[in-house]
Amino acid sequence: MNIILAKHYGMCFGVRDALKATHETAAQGPTTILGQLVHNEVVRAQLDEMGVRQGHLRDHGHATTPQVVITAHGAAERDRMAWKAKGFRVTDTTCPLVRKAHTALAKLVLQGYHPIVIGKRDHVEVLGLTGDFPEADVIIDAEDVAALTPHERFGVVSQTTQPTDRVAHLVALVESRFPNSDVCFIDTVCQPTKDRQLALKELCRQVEVVIVVGGSNSNNTHQLVQTARSYGVRAHRVAHPEELRSEWITGARNVGLTAGTSTLHETVQAVHRALQQLAEPAYA
Ligand code: SF4
């Protein structure tokens, strides 16, 4: 059995830099992260060991440490300012590509477009994007597009980790539902997400099964699983090697391995080793 790694996989620069900044902040004194730094249980366990506490972005001023960290997913400006106004030392690890999405949305609103965000309504990144623009509509499927009210101008951006196919489909749906409106779309799906989606597509041409390594609450990890299944291959998610099951790869000649953008490289390596061990008895 061959184990084939995706060309692009695992932790992106945005998460890696956020993690580094959080470690540096925590080294200077007691620290609270305002939300989940990354949606990954392994990373969370490491931060717990360092004594880093967990708080909530919207719980302004309720942290019990003088330092707080805004996660790579970003925050609405009013939340960022509220923490600073309460006297907390704020380390802002917002990914530059999430910032780009905020800037794009603000620019569209400034130009008079009614804002639309393609993404998951309750995802922390989307809450950050819409936090400063309560009038924004959030859409994830055709039903949401059908529920939109007419506007002369729509300005559309996307959560950075949405599949590009879905984003293009939803933009086309908005255009066809409102043929007389001006629909301006700014592509804010980040490059690491695009690279991983494309690499997965290539991987799925070569394998029967894909193992995706990532946290149970990681949006982009679930997207990778769903995308692999949409290409007709079996796909399973594991957070760590202990979750692998031998029956998943029984009979497979080629197994693909990829990981979400919040997954540590060492976790992917550990799953790779465990897959190799599982493969041997399967073909003994
Ligand atoms: S997934 Fe993209 S936007 Fe999110 S942290 Fe990584 S690089 Fe930044």
Side-chain angles (χ1 to χ4, degrees), residues 34-35 55-63 74-80 82-83 86 102 121 123-133:
L34 303 176
H56 297 283
L57 187 61
R58 296 263 158 99
D59 251 358
H60 304 141
H62 286 167
E77 194 52 29
R78 63 180 185 181
D79 289 319
R80 189 178 283 112
W83 283 97
K86 299 260 179 187
H102 278 258
R121 198 176 306 276
H123 189 279
V124 59
E125 183 190 320
V126 174
L127 291 173
L129 281 166
T130 56
D132 290 321
F133 303 105

Side-chain angles (χ1 to χ4, degrees), residues 96-122:
L97 301 184
V98 173
R99 278 188 198 282
K100 212 171 138 190
H102 278 258
T103 307
L105 190 62
K107 187 176 143 197
L108 288 167
V109 172
L110 202 66
Q111 290 174 352
Y113 289 94
H114 174 76
I116 294 181
V117 177
I118 296 172
K120 283 188 158 181
R121 198 176 306 276
D122 56 352

Side-chain angles (χ1 to χ4, degrees), residues 12-15 72-73 95-98 125 160-161 188 190-193 220 261:
C12 59
F13 79 93
V15 170
H73 303 99
C95 174
L97 301 184
V98 173
E125 183 190 320
T160 55
T161 50
T188 54
C190 75
Q191 195 58 46
T193 291
N220 76 84
T261 51

Side-chain angles (χ1 to χ4, degrees), residues 108 112-116 137 145 148-157 174-175 177-186:
L108 288 167
Y113 289 94
H114 174 76
I116 294 181
D137 285 306
V145 176
L148 290 172
T149 52
H151 291 270
E152 273 179 30
R153 311 173 86 198
F154 288 101
V156 189
V157 300
V174 173
E175 285 169 340
R177 170 130 201 269
F178 301 103
N180 299 320
S181 299
D182 173 10
V183 179
C184 179
F185 166 60
I186 300 180

